[in-house]
């Protein structure tokens, strides 16, 4: 069965195989973001979260601009700045603050509230009313990642927790605005990604210099860490993420963010020797189950068998999910 979705103007028909393919590619982004916490604590110089955000975003953005050789036009100058701030600048700065102040699993787990935040933002900005199915699995995913964290032997840093939650809120708002505005006609994913990465990096750079001063001279480990985060965790990851946002229902994509805490906690166990309890294992299962359930098409879930009227400007899948 094929599905027709509206993507940046013309209707695009996708098969279930294509939908799952775009979902798998989009999932690479949160999988790579889950490595941020391990890389930050083990490889990067301490005490420079804002600078780390700049180094992660700005070189990748400039590289993509060099490749695509296309600049924004008209309203897309300020729209790119807003999306760059929400999706890149503010998000990465807050993410690194959380990563420096919290254990990796805890920092990434705060993103578990993102599906619920996206549902609220989608209702406010896109007039998409969240279904009980969506909210139920959002709460299930939140409970799952809470089990991963709350049963561990950890100490909570209020500033780190606030930064992690604010990062999730910034990304959730950016996700919904990205879906609402789409992309200019004829603009490719790499170009769109380059605009946002460059804008986010440029907005964050003067703040980083004012707060943290000149950057320290990086050693070989830091260079490797920054290279991984900038190339794989940013340029590649965001390009695949924005492609997914253009092709898939916004709330379904938001659930993929739950992969990030799972990766962070798994790396803490495998690489750093951090312990995992049986209840934390249950939490992993609940988080992964909620991700899978959120990707099911409406007619595959009994609770979504009821057909709802679909607004002309939205896809059938978006309206029912």
């Amino acid at each position: 069965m094929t599905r027709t979705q509206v993507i940046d103007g013309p209707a695009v028909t996708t098969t279930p195989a294509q939908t799952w393919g775009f979902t798998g590619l989009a999932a690479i982004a949160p999988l790579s973001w889950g490595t941020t916490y391990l890389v930050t604590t083990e490889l990067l110089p301490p005490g420079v979260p804002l600078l780390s955000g700049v180094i992660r975003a700005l070189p990748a953005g400039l590289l993509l601009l060099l490749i695509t050789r296309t600049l924004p036009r008209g309203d897309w100058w300020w729209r790119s700045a807003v999306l760059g701030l929400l999706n890149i600048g503010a998000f990465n700065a807050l993410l690194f603050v959380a990563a420096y102040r919290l254990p990796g699993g805890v920092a990434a787990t705060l993103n578990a509230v993102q599906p619920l935040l996206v549902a609220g933002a989608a209702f406010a900005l896109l007039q998409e009313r969240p279904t009980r199915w969506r909210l139920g699995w959002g709460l299930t995913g939140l409970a799952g990642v809470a089990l991963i964290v709350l049963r561990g032997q950890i100490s909570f840093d209020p500033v780190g927790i606030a930064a992690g939650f604010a990062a999730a809120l910034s990304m959730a708002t950016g996700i919904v605005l990205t879906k609402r505005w789409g992309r200019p006609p004829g603009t490719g994913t790499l170009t769109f990604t380059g605009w946002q990465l460059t804008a986010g990096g440029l907005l964050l750079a003067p703040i980083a210099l004012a707060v943290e001063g000149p950057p320290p001279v990086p050693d070989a480990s830091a260079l490797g860490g920054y290279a991984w985060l900038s190339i794989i965790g940013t340029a590649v990851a965001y390009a695949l993420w924005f492609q997914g946002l253009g092709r898939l229902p916004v709330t379904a994509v938001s659930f993929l963010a739950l992969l990030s805490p799972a990766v962070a906690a798994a790396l803490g166990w495998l690489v750093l020797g951090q312990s995992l309890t049986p209840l934390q294992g249950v939490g992993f299962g609940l988080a992964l189950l909620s991700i899978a359930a959120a990707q099911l098409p409406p007619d595959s879930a009994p609770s979504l068998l009821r057909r709802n009227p679909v607004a002309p400007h939205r896809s059938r899948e978006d309206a029912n999910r």
Side-chain angles (χ1 to χ4, degrees):
M1 180 179 63
T2 60
R3 293 182 176 81
T4 301
Q5 300 182 23
V6 177
I7 303 172
D8 303 333
V12 176
T13 300
T14 58
T15 65
Q18 290 173 323
T19 297
W20 283 108
F22 286 123
T23 300
L25 290 174
I28 294 175
L31 287 171
S32 70
W33 295 336
T35 68
T36 299
Y37 312 97
L38 178 67
V39 171
T40 299
T41 56
E42 300 301 310
L43 299 179
L44 302 189
V48 286
L50 300 180
L51 175 64
S52 294
V54 173
I55 295 176
R56 177 177 186 172
L58 188 54
L62 293 174
L63 176 62
L64 292 180
L65 287 183
L66 183 63
I67 293 172
T68 60
R69 298 180 181 273
T70 304
L71 294 176
R73 295 181 179 179
D75 289 346
W76 277 100
W77 281 104
W78 69 264
R79 287 185 176 185
S80 296
V82 171
L83 294 178
L85 176 65
L86 293 172
N87 287 326
I88 312 297
F91 173 71
N92 276 290
L94 293 165
L95 189 70
F96 275 107
V97 170
Y100 274 106
R101 302 183 70 101
L102 297 171
V106 180
T109 297
L110 292 168
N111 275 327
V113 301
Q114 192 176 112
L116 298 176
L117 295 175
V118 167
F123 178 69
L125 299 176
L126 302 178
Q127 289 75 54
E128 292 185 6
R129 187 178 299 276
T131 64
R132 286 178 293 179
W133 172 267
R134 180 74 55 196
L135 293 177
W137 284 112
L139 292 172
T140 300
L142 180 59
V145 292
L147 286 176
I148 298 174
V149 174
L150 297 181
R151 296 292 175 174
Q153 300 298 317
I154 54 178
S155 59
F156 291 94
D157 181 287
V159 174
I161 291 175
F165 180 81
L169 179 60
S170 178
M171 175 65 92
T173 307
I175 285 174
V176 175
L177 283 178
T178 300
K179 189 70 173 182
R180 179 177 181 177
W181 290 339
R183 297 197 303 266
T187 301
T189 302
L190 291 182
T191 299
F192 188 61
T193 304
W195 292 351
Q196 294 191 50
L197 291 176
T198 303
L202 289 175
L203 290 170
L204 186 57
I207 301 174
L209 289 174
V211 173
E212 298 173 351
V217 178
D219 57 18
S221 296
L223 288 174
Y226 283 131
W228 168 264
L229 293 177
S230 182
I231 297 172
I232 304 299
T234 300
V236 174
Y238 274 103
L240 295 175
W241 183 252
F242 291 137
Q243 175 183 256
L245 283 177
R247 296 279 182 169
L248 303 167
V250 62
T251 45
V253 176
S254 69
F255 273 77
L256 297 177
L258 298 182
L259 291 169
S260 183
V263 169
L267 289 175
W269 174 55
L270 292 171
V271 179
L272 303 179
Q274 297 173 352
S275 62
L276 290 176
T277 68
L279 277 178
Q280 287 175 303
V282 173
F284 270 106
L286 289 176
L288 296 178
L289 180 61
S290 69
I291 295 170
Q295 308 310 312
L296 293 175
D299 51 5
S300 295
S303 61
L304 295 178
L305 286 176
R306 180 172 58 86
R307 299 291 182 178
N308 295 320
V310 181
H313 68 281
R314 292 188 299 173
S315 70
R316 186 178 187 86
E317 185 171 359
D318 272 335
N320 283 306
R321 297 180 69 176

